[in-house]
Structures are given as C-alpha cells and as structure tokens.
C-alpha cells in the first residue's frame, strides 16, 4: 500500500476537514496528501509529499530506529525487525547466536537499572528513559527470536541436520 493510500484510508472516518482542523492545515493540503505525489514518471500529479513520506525520508537519512520506535509506541505497540536467518550458519550456531544476543540485551537492561539505583535512592526521568530504551532493545530481540521460531527458521527435520532459514 502506498503512503497516500494509507493516509486516504486513515482520514476517511474522521473526515478531511476534521483532520485538517486538528492539524491546523488546510483541507486542500490533506486532500493533496491523499493523492499520488508528483514524480519523475508523472510530474503532473497533483499530490504533495505527505507526512508519512517525510518520516520515511527522515529515517532513511538518519538510520535512527528511535524514530520508528517512538511512532510505534505512540500507536500502542513496539517495533520488531523482520527475522532474517543467516544461511551460512548451522541451525545450532543460529540458535546460539540469537540466545546469546537475548542474554546480552537482558544483561544491559540489568546494568542500566543497577547504575540508576546506585547513583541515588530513586530513578529519575532520564534514567527511566534509559531503562525504557534497554527494555525496547530486549523486547525486540526476544520477539524477533520468537517470530523466527514460529516461522520454522530453527526447525530440524527428524534424523537430519539442516541449515537455518529453510
């Protein structure tokens, strides 16, 4: 689905005018976000670069996953990378590497909590934010592993060794 189609679908229920008023932009601009933007193939398109395209460009320029995580958090969820098994490694090597990564992320979370508590008797807002970031790293790591398991990336047929990634 294209970004302008996502926006078109999203503004359908509340209505373009209501969305425009809430965002303090003109309804004409919101309508333009709902149309294909002009590009090299069709410079006559009437659409405008929309906020989703801009956020994608910001991410591509910075490669900072915190942008995506923040948006997912605002939507009530969290971001998880799609699992991609390493085909050059054996099944056991892949499982070991993933498990080691989960333990490392958990250890870093514990270190962050320990440092926060040792500095003073409580955990301030900045320390809580650091703990949140470590927690997000751990959740994403474990969820990626579970998705890999569910997709059969670590399945071994009876009586045989196979490489990860089917």
């Amino acid at each position: 689905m294209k970004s302008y189609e996502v926006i078109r679908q999203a503004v359908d229920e509340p209505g373009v005018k209501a969305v425009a008023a809430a965002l303090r932009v003109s309804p004409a601009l919101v309508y333009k976000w709902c149309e294909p933007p002009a590009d090299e193939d069709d410079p006559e398109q009437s659409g405008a670069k929309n906020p989703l395209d801009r956020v994608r460009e910001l991410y591509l320029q910075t490669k900072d996953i915190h942008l995506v995580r923040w948006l997912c958090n605002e939507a009530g969820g969290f971001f998880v990378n799609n699992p991609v098994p390493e085909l050059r490694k054996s099944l056991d090597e892949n499982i070991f590497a993933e498990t080691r990564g989960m333990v490392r992320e958990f250890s870093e979370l514990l270190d962050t909590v320990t440092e926060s508590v040792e500095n003073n008797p409580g955990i301030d807002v900045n320390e809580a934010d650091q703990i949140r970031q470590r927690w997000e790293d751990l959740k994403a790591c474990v969820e990626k592993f579970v998705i890999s398991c569910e997709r059969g990336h670590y399945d071994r047929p009876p009586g045989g060794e196979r490489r990860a990634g089917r």
Side-chain angles (χ1 to χ4, degrees):
M1 189 174 247
K2 304 283 187 186
S3 63
Y4 62 88
E5 294 169 327
V6 172
I7 291 178
R8 184 183 313 140
Q9 186 176 4
V11 301
D12 186 46
E13 177 61 31
V16 168
K17 290 181 182 179
V19 170
L23 296 176
R24 296 186 176 147
V25 297
S26 72
L29 180 58
V30 176
Y31 278 117
K32 286 186 174 291
W33 292 342
C34 296
E35 299 172 7
D39 61 14
E40 294 169 7
D41 296 336
D42 191 0
E44 301 299 314
Q45 286 289 350
S46 60
K49 190 178 289 187
N50 64 57
L52 293 179
D53 290 333
R54 291 180 185 277
V55 170
R56 180 184 59 225
E57 286 179 14
L58 181 59
Y59 170 74
L60 292 174
Q61 288 299 313
T62 65
K63 302 291 191 232
D64 190 340
I65 198 64
H66 293 100
L67 295 165
V68 178
R69 283 185 177 169
W70 180 86
L71 189 57
C72 291
N73 187 272
E74 289 294 305
F78 67 98
F79 176 76
V80 178
N81 285 326
N82 289 327
V84 180
E86 289 201 38
L87 299 176
R88 288 181 230 115
K89 290 184 178 179
S90 72
L91 178 65
D92 291 337
E93 288 173 316
N94 266 310
I95 291 173
F96 180 71
E98 291 292 326
T99 305
R100 191 177 65 232
M102 288 185 283
V103 171
R104 182 180 54 248
E105 294 294 344
F106 186 66
S107 176
E108 290 177 8
L109 171 64
L110 291 177
D111 286 345
T112 303
V113 171
T114 302
E115 287 174 22
S116 297
V117 173
E118 287 176 347
N119 287 341
N120 54 47
I123 297 175
D124 66 31
V125 175
N126 291 333
E127 292 167 328
D129 187 51
Q130 291 173 350
I131 292 169
R132 165 63 63 192
Q133 293 308 315
R134 291 296 181 196
W135 172 239
E136 293 294 326
D137 292 343
L138 176 59
K139 280 194 309 187
C141 181
V142 174
E143 183 65 20
K144 181 179 170 185
F145 177 75
V146 171
I147 291 170
S148 290
C149 291
E150 292 170 341
R151 291 183 179 175
H153 291 177
Y154 304 123
D155 190 18
R156 184 186 321 238
E161 168 67 25
R162 66 163 213 60
R163 298 173 74 79
R166 303 197 224 195

